[in-house]
Amino acid sequence: MTNASGGRGRRTWSRFGDVRRRPTPYEVVTGGFHYHFRRDPVPFEMDPEWTLNKWYLAHREGSPFQVADWEDFRDPAALTYRDYVALQHDREVYLDALVDRHEESGSAAALDPGWVDTLRTLFVPLRFPLHVLQMTALYVGQMAPSSYITNCAHFQAADELRRIQRIAYWTRVLADAHGEDLARTATARGAWEDGPAWQPLRRALENLLIAYDWGEAFTALNLAVKPALDVLVDEVFGHLAEANGDGFLTELCTEFGRDARRSREWTRALTGYAVEREPALTGVLDGWVATWRPRADRAVEALADLFTTAPRPLTPTEVTTRVHDTHDAFLAAAHGR
Amino acid sequence: MPRLARSEWYDLTRDMNWTLSYVKEEEAWPAELSDGFGLPAEAWWAWDEPYKVTYPEYVHNQYGKDASVYAVNAVVGRSRMYERLDPGWKSAILAHYGVIAVPEYLASLGESRMGRFGRAAAWRNMATFGALDELRHGQIQTYFPYGLLPQEPRADWAHKALHTNEWGVIAARSLFDDMFTANDAVSMAVQLTFTFETGFTNLQFLGMAADAMKVGDVDFGALISSIQTDEARHSQQGEPTIGLLVEHGRADVAQRLVDHMFWRSWRLFALLTGLSMDYYTPLEHRGRSFAEFMREWICKQFLDQFRDFGLEKPWYWDEHFLPELDWYHHALQLGIWYWRPTVWWNPDAGVAPEEREWLERKYPGWNDTFGGYWDVVAANLRAGRPEATLPETFPMICHLCHIPVVAPAGYLAGRLASPRPYVLDRNGRRYVFCSAPCRWVFEQAPRRFQGHTTLIDRFLGGQVQPPTMEGALAYMGLSPEETGQDATGYAWAHAAPHGRTGPRD
């Protein structure tokens, strides 16, 4: 076909090369956006010694987590922005309806005061650590070497914001039913800053904030800290809520689990992609997991004590075993072993 | 719907600020990624976004917006609308896609930098939405031109441009890397969201959306106006950031950051929007001129907002900026049309007789200044000497904005006191600048710019091989089929009244 420019039409972006398979709509708007990765001589069109050039050269190009080409990685969910907001629009409609149901039935007011005490110490402060997961996912996104990876990380960060906001909403509902102190910043921040049960987690997450090598940040977040915390919150805490007659939080945690599963799936896909191309990266990933998983484990062990205070409690061993076993299974799958 | 109003619970989504215990503040918010400019960490916790939105609201709204924009594209894609568009307008949108599509995506990295290194949880949340918005803008502005590829191979530049060393792309990368991709979070809030988005692109997008609808480009109009609604929200991260800097005695920082980026934005804006509005948009669909648009919208709104913070207008405002509104983009138009093989779109001369009347009306004296050069070009074309209207050498390029130096045209138009570029000798190297403000920006932050090279430096340094026009075009990523040609096949020259100036000897 000729055209007004006098040339022949194209089937796809020239950057994709001579592709035999027609790129999918997902690939068309996702692949090949990070012109700055491994750009010669430096990532950005500024002084080669400029701080951000050096930062990216050190923490992205200089990371031990490297393969020859990241552009063949694909998000297993193949999410574009349009797909992501469509998906989460549907899920939020579902959650809106869930909230409606429980507001109409007044289920928050009917909760056992003993369970509300557990919520005060275990549920209400969660927005602080989950916010750090959001922050770190955004760091992974801005440092990732391919836009295929960046987008997964950015959607994951948005999922954390989603979880935090639903927790915040319900914290307000609980406060209306059981006392204003539940909604005071000091209640959550105090536990986060000074509560002994929260300190190992805070230590792990503050250190996660300064894990600046992009591969280490990805591994520490998505293979070590987040999977443990996701199981602890979405599954074990959800189970505790169910045992204590809290139908709303049971269902809410199940819903959070959908986002966590999507995170685990792209994480597993990315580690599989990397190790398949560079088998030696297994050692790199294992090394980081060996550093970060014990930190996550200590955090879970400390928080497990709070599960014992519920009217229908879980023992610390029940909590840690459940988290540990699920985390083990995930890591085994992620390492392709 | 859930019973609680947003205002009843929103603060619980934005109070996640705490005092670090296990790592140091400067480790978690290092100055190169988040310059706090000396404000105490807790001072930033008062950061308060003027526009509130929750996650459920966000996905519900955005789902609806995307559905309607993509529906327009689906309908238009089945039509023959694109091929019926005016050639000048096609050039305007191809230039736009090349310079804007991927940089918008890259702005999502800037937003995620603010989402990680912003100094308050509320700010980090807004930036998280901003990262999603910019991801949207990158995807939607590549999806639309992708659909044009079968009929318009130049649409490839929507995706390819930022990977090339085309001179305009170097200028764009230099600006956008300075503004967001390689900027710290605090400076970025002032420079990207306040200065560039609030100051320029919000208005540009409103203006272009209106123009697109008038031209009949429903596709582009729907796209641009939908993007603008996102920009209007996330651009508001700048205001509270400036507010806190001013409140804590760092108005000097805010002033410097804005002065720096307003000038740089103006440079690119004149190139992209100035040419589109005054030369590429079909005459019958033009409303106000670029200078009128700048004065009525950009200048007025910007000054109003800026003064609200107790800041001063930039030092170069009266002496350098306002006078340029009447000549700078005309000089760029002349240069870009002349060096047309070095761009990926087909420059529209936009100087047919009736267009010249419009230019003279909007810019009194245009005929006697810039019109004179076009007379020579037109005469050469009518004499069958198009080679005399094509470049054999390269222009001087500014070491700050990377746009060719057009001061001689400004001087000959009687607008500048000297045709000479501004020079700075520093550490054994000579830098040239197109203007006093470009030199000033460089001198404010030499560490950002000093070791960087222009396209001309690279040419003279042997990086461009062979060192010919053909070698330079190849270095810029332009294949012979992609180099720009006159958008109308010189129809305008043959429509021109004969005789004002003879062909060049």
Side-chain angles (χ1 to χ4, degrees):
Chain A
M1 183 193 297
T2 57
N3 49 67
S5 300
R8 290 187 64 78
R10 290 197 156 277
R11 287 185 69 221
T12 188
W13 301 127
S14 60
R15 296 278 315 168
F16 286 177
D18 190 16
V19 289
R20 271 168 289 175
R21 176 180 61 79
R22 193 174 178 81
T24 64
Y26 157 70
E27 291 166 330
V28 162
V29 297
T30 309
F33 281 65
H34 285 348
Y35 71 84
H36 44 80
F37 178 57
R38 292 182 187 151
R39 182 171 172 271
D40 180 41
V42 287
F44 303 114
E45 199 76 65
M46 298 179 76
D47 185 306
E49 297 295 313
W50 172 239
T51 53
L52 267 292
N53 271 327
K54 288 163 78 171
W55 186 278
Y56 273 76
L57 286 175
H59 300 301
R60 186 180 65 181
E61 276 83 333
S63 171
F65 195 47
Q66 298 288 341
V67 297
D69 184 3
W70 291 104
E71 285 294 310
D72 288 327
F73 168 73
R74 296 292 180 273
D75 173 6
L79 286 182
T80 61
Y81 175 91
R82 180 188 182 186
D83 297 333
Y84 176 78
V85 294
L87 171 71
Q88 298 299 57
H89 161 71
D90 281 349
R91 300 315 305 170
E92 288 291 297
V93 167
Y94 161 73
L95 281 185
D96 285 347
L98 178 68
V99 170
D100 280 349
R101 236 175 30 244
H102 284 269
E103 287 186 328
E104 277 168 26
S105 69
S107 72
L111 293 172
D112 177 336
W115 172 241
V116 174
D117 286 341
T118 300
L119 294 179
R120 181 180 289 106
T121 56
L122 177 56
F123 171 76
V124 169
L126 278 173
R127 65 183 186 271
F128 279 77
L130 297 182
H131 182 63
V132 181
L133 300 190
Q134 176 187 332
M135 293 166 73
T136 311
L138 292 172
Y139 182 73
V140 171
Q142 72 193 267
M143 297 300 291
S146 164
S147 35
Y148 282 111
I149 305 169
T150 292
N151 296 1
C152 292
H154 284 173
F155 294 142
Q156 180 177 311
D159 290 341
E160 304 292 4
L161 183 56
R162 176 186 191 221
R163 183 158 56 164
I164 290 163
Q165 297 218 337
R166 288 295 177 176
I167 288 173
Y169 184 96
W170 203 248
T171 297
R172 182 69 250 173
V173 171
L174 291 170
D176 287 347
H178 297 282
E180 188 59 27
D181 71 300
L182 285 160
R184 290 203 181 99
T185 295
T187 303
R189 186 184 288 153
W192 174 240
E193 287 189 336
D194 299 318
W198 293 93
Q199 296 319 299
L201 179 60
R202 186 155 74 95
R203 179 188 292 271
L205 290 178
E206 288 187 5
N207 276 287
L208 180 60
L209 284 176
I210 66 165
Y212 287 127
D213 179 282
W214 102 265
E216 182 174 8
F218 161 73
T219 306
L221 176 67
N222 274 24
L223 286 169
V225 178
K226 177 172 162 61
L229 206 51
D230 283 351
V231 176
L232 185 77
V233 174
D234 304 345
E235 297 182 26
V236 187
F237 175 74
H239 178 64
L240 187 73
E242 187 175 21
N244 284 275
D246 191 335
F248 175 77
L249 287 182
T250 306
E251 290 192 60
L252 187 66
C253 288
T254 301
E255 177 64 21
F256 292 158
R258 297 173 68 100
D259 294 341
R261 193 157 56 243
R262 187 151 38 74
S263 165
R264 289 198 296 271
E265 283 166 3
W266 79 261
T267 301
R268 197 167 56 202
L270 185 60
T271 55
Y273 178 91
V275 169
E276 185 185 330
R277 281 156 182 77
E278 289 292 340
L281 287 178
T282 302
V284 173
L285 294 171
D286 283 349
W288 281 324
V289 170
T291 301
W292 287 94
R293 192 166 177 207
R295 295 175 181 177
D297 287 346
R298 281 196 290 277
V300 170
E301 283 160 21
L303 287 165
D305 286 342
L306 299 177
F307 286 69
T308 66
T309 65
R312 293 177 181 279
L314 289 172
T315 67
T317 308
E318 286 174 311
V319 173
T320 54
T321 303
R322 174 84 179 268
V323 173
H324 204 266
D325 289 352
T326 311
H327 198 173
D328 268 350
F330 168 59
L331 286 177
H335 287 214
R337 294 188 299 238
Chain B
M1 289 301 288
R3 291 179 181 173
L4 298 182
R6 185 210 297 133
S7 59
E8 294 178 77
W9 60 282
Y10 187 78
D11 280 349
L12 288 168
T13 70
R14 59 193 293 285
D15 65 351
M16 295 83 77
N17 302 300
W18 78 101
T19 304
L20 296 167
S21 301
Y22 304 102
V23 300
K24 296 193 182 96
E25 179 78 19
E26 61 271 24
E27 292 176 309
W29 276 270
E32 54 262 61
L33 294 170
S34 182
D35 192 338
F37 295 105
L39 270 64
E42 290 193 21
W44 290 103
W45 297 0
W47 195 98
D48 186 15
E49 69 278 27
Y51 193 114
K52 321 286 193 208
V53 66
T54 66
Y55 182 91
E57 290 171 326
Y58 182 85
V59 291
H60 294 329
N61 292 344
Q62 299 299 100
Y63 167 71
K65 281 158 63 177
D66 257 9
S68 62
V69 173
Y70 281 100
V72 170
N73 182 250
V75 172
V76 169
R78 290 193 292 271
S79 75
R80 303 182 65 183
M81 192 203 77
Y82 182 79
E83 58 189 81
R84 289 198 298 263
L85 289 174
D86 176 88
W89 181 257
K90 286 181 183 171
S91 300
I93 65 172
L94 291 173
H96 171 93
Y97 281 136
V99 176
I100 299 298
V102 170
E104 287 239 47
Y105 175 79
L106 291 166
S108 74
L109 303 192
E111 293 284 348
S112 59
R113 188 158 311 132
M114 293 193 287
R116 161 62 184 86
F117 295 100
R119 288 173 167 265
W123 180 1
R124 295 189 289 268
N125 286 346
M126 283 302 102
T128 303
F129 290 128
L132 292 184
D133 287 341
E134 299 295 12
L135 173 53
R136 172 181 193 237
H137 302 170
Q139 294 199 327
I140 206 166
Q141 288 181 99
T142 41
Y143 184 84
F144 279 37
Y146 189 79
L148 300 177
L149 281 178
Q151 48 188 323
E152 179 53 87
R154 292 172 196 277
D156 190 38
W157 281 72
H159 186 255
K160 158 183 170 175
L162 268 283
H163 290 272
T164 74
N165 283 313
E166 194 276 342
W167 70 267
V169 170
I170 293 176
R173 263 200 312 261
S174 154
L175 170 66
F176 294 135
D177 288 348
D178 190 25
M179 188 191 298
F180 47 85
T181 339
N183 204 6
D184 80 274
V186 177
S187 302
M188 192 185 323
V190 178
Q191 298 191 305
L192 166 65
T193 67
F194 179 78
T195 311
F196 188 64
E197 291 179 339
T198 310
F200 284 90
T201 54
N202 259 338
L203 297 166
Q204 181 205 12
F205 279 28
L206 283 174
M208 280 196 85
D211 285 347
M213 291 304 185
K214 281 188 242 162
V215 171
D217 191 348
V218 182
D219 204 28
F220 194 69
L223 167 84
I224 289 289
S225 52
S226 184
I227 288 175
Q228 194 275 333
T229 60
D230 298 337
E231 299 278 335
R233 168 169 33 75
H234 69 235
S235 67
Q236 296 189 30
Q237 292 172 77
E239 190 184 316
T241 308
I242 294 183
L244 284 172
L245 286 169
V246 171
E247 182 185 331
H248 291 273
R250 297 313 311 268
D252 60 321
V253 168
Q255 180 88 47
R256 177 171 52 77
L257 291 170
V258 175
D259 290 1
H260 167 165
M261 202 49 73
F262 184 89
W263 182 260
R264 294 212 63 181
S265 303
W266 155 243
R267 276 293 183 254
L268 187 79
F269 202 68
L271 195 158
L272 201 59
T273 309
L275 272 54
S276 290
M277 289 184 79
D278 281 359
Y279 291 94
Y280 293 0
T281 299
L283 183 62
E284 61 273 26
H285 299 303
R286 281 182 215 164
R288 56 173 67 82
S289 71
F290 177 60
E292 289 166 343
F293 173 77
M294 286 296 300
R295 286 197 180 90
E296 289 171 29
W297 290 85
I298 307 281
C299 300
K300 183 177 183 319
Q301 170 176 296
F302 181 77
L303 283 185
D304 285 350
Q305 283 195 320
F306 209 51
R307 284 172 172 150
D308 286 346
F309 290 110
L311 300 175
E312 303 294 326
K313 62 187 174 187
W315 64 269
Y316 47 73
W317 193 268
D318 294 324
E319 187 184 351
H320 298 279
F321 169 62
L322 291 180
E324 281 201 358
L325 296 180
D326 288 321
W327 73 267
Y328 179 63
H329 71 293
H330 297 309
L332 289 180
Q333 160 71 359
L334 201 55
I336 286 167
W337 187 88
Y338 181 68
W339 269 281
R340 56 198 177 283
T342 69
V343 295
W344 65 88
W345 65 91
N346 288 332
D348 190 349
V351 288
E354 62 280 12
E355 292 170 318
R356 293 178 61 137
E357 286 171 22
W358 183 87
L359 285 162
E360 179 64 27
R361 199 162 63 246
K362 296 294 186 182
Y363 300 93
W366 184 94
N367 261 325
D368 290 336
T369 53
F370 294 98
Y373 304 121
W374 288 107
D375 289 337
V376 177
V377 172
N380 274 312
L381 292 171
R382 285 196 300 274
R385 299 179 59 188
E387 70 281 3
T389 72
L390 283 162
E392 293 169 357
T393 57
F394 298 99
M396 194 177 282
I397 286 181
C398 175
H399 272 105
L400 194 277
C401 69
H402 295 271
I403 293 172
V405 176
V406 293
Y411 172 72
L412 292 170
R415 307 286 185 168
L416 292 179
S418 164
R420 295 205 177 101
Y422 289 76
V423 170
L424 177 69
D425 290 315
R426 191 175 181 281
N427 298 335
R429 187 173 167 198
R430 169 158 289 197
Y431 300 90
V432 296
F433 300 97
C434 65
S435 58
C438 274
R439 184 172 70 180
W440 176 83
V441 171
F442 183 99
E443 288 181 299
Q444 293 304 301
R447 287 178 58 234
R448 300 173 87 90
F449 312 112
Q450 61 194 359
H452 188 239
T453 54
T454 66
L455 183 59
I456 301 304
D457 293 331
R458 297 173 204 183
F459 188 83
L460 297 175
Q463 290 177 53
V464 179
Q465 293 297 335
T468 59
M469 181 57 80
E470 289 69 29
L473 293 174
Y475 179 79
M476 288 193 266
L478 284 153
S479 67
E481 305 78 53
E482 291 173 318
T483 56
Q485 302 157 30
D486 180 77
T488 63
Y490 307 132
W492 60 274
H494 297 285
H498 289 245
R500 189 182 276 225
T501 307
R504 190 167 72 181
D505 290 322

